[in-house]
Amino acid sequence: MQILWELEKGFVNDVLDKIPEPKPAYNTVSTIIRILEKKGFVSYIAYGKTHEYYPLIGKNEYRSQYLKSIVSNYFGGSFERLVSFFAKDNDMDIQEMEELLKNVQNDITNQKDE
């Protein structure tokens, strides 16, 4: 998705060109793009047997859906468990937790103002 957002639209070879070495096989990239298309994240324009792909959703919407999926599948739907996991896994101290809380409060306030 990152590469398609950067390209705005492109063929499998265009995506493959943007991937650093060691590059995956053409078929691997093609399969991933088709999976994204089946999930509704990507669409295409057909030129015969060739397809030019483009993203259907922006980064924020994709990030939101992806994060909700992770929280649901790995943390029992609990954002509290997610934050607790990252706090423990990254050895966050009280000051870092307070800074995180402050940032979350600012984000919530800014969303209400929009």
Side-chain angles (χ1 to χ4, degrees):
M1 286 302 299
Q2 295 289 343
I3 293 171
L4 280 175
W5 286 317
E6 180 184 329
L7 292 172
E8 295 182 4
K9 61 182 178 177
F11 301 94
V12 173
N13 278 328
D14 297 327
V15 173
L16 197 54
D17 288 343
K18 291 284 190 179
I19 297 174
E21 294 291 342
K23 294 183 185 291
Y26 177 95
N27 287 342
T28 301
V29 175
S30 178
T31 299
I32 291 169
I33 292 174
R34 283 181 290 158
I35 290 169
L36 291 169
E37 188 260 327
K38 286 179 185 174
K39 290 185 175 189
F41 300 139
V42 171
S43 191
Y44 63 87
I45 301 169
Y47 300 99
K49 292 183 179 182
T50 304
H51 296 107
E52 185 177 35
Y53 296 94
Y54 57 92
L56 287 175
I57 64 172
K59 288 180 184 181
N60 286 338
E61 185 179 350
Y62 182 83
R63 183 181 309 133
S64 177
Q65 289 183 20
Y66 186 74
L67 184 57
K68 285 177 185 174
S69 173
I70 289 173
V71 170
S72 176
N73 292 330
Y74 297 101
F75 298 97
S78 170
F79 282 100
E80 182 180 336
R81 288 183 191 164
L82 170 77
V83 172
S84 177
F85 168 80
F86 281 109
K88 289 175 189 173
D89 197 52
N90 293 300
D91 294 324
M92 292 179 77
D93 62 26
I94 296 297
Q95 184 178 359
E96 290 171 317
M97 289 298 291
E98 288 174 349
E99 186 66 28
L100 176 64
L101 181 58
K102 183 174 135 184
N103 289 334
V104 169
Q105 288 171 333
N106 286 338
D107 288 345
I108 290 170
T109 300
N110 289 337
Q111 280 182 338
K112 289 179 183 177
D113 292 341
E114 292 178 355

